[in-house]
Amino acid sequence: LYFSPNIVTYSDAERFAEADARVEYELIPQASAYIGYRRITVSLKTKSNEVLDTGFHGGVRMSF
């Protein structure tokens, strides 16, 4: 969970929040595959809550 209060947001935004939950599976010690769900919202001065992005995502994370 990432949250930004109004003191560090910009322009007409008052708050920013990003929630992310995912499951990872280690393919090899240097690579993991993952699938998850993400929701990003922002509170604006003109509207109370606006959803910027929501949905499932997946990928591969590699480290060297």
Side-chain angles (χ1 to χ4, degrees):
L1 177 66
Y2 299 100
F3 176 75
S4 173
N6 60 355
I7 193 72
V8 295
T9 54
Y10 56 92
S11 190
D12 291 337
E14 292 183 343
R15 287 182 184 82
F16 172 85
E18 179 180 345
D20 184 6
R22 69 169 126 178
V23 175
E24 291 190 18
Y25 178 76
E26 187 176 281
L27 302 170
I28 59 175
Q30 295 85 13
S32 297
Y34 64 87
I35 187 166
Y37 182 79
R38 178 183 305 144
R39 181 180 172 97
I40 301 173
T41 59
V42 64
S43 294
L44 302 173
K45 292 179 183 175
T46 57
K47 295 182 179 179
S48 61
N49 256 346
E50 188 72 27
V51 177
L52 297 179
D53 186 27
T54 183
F56 290 96
H57 63 280
V60 176
R61 184 177 56 141
M62 297 181 74
S63 59
F64 299 96

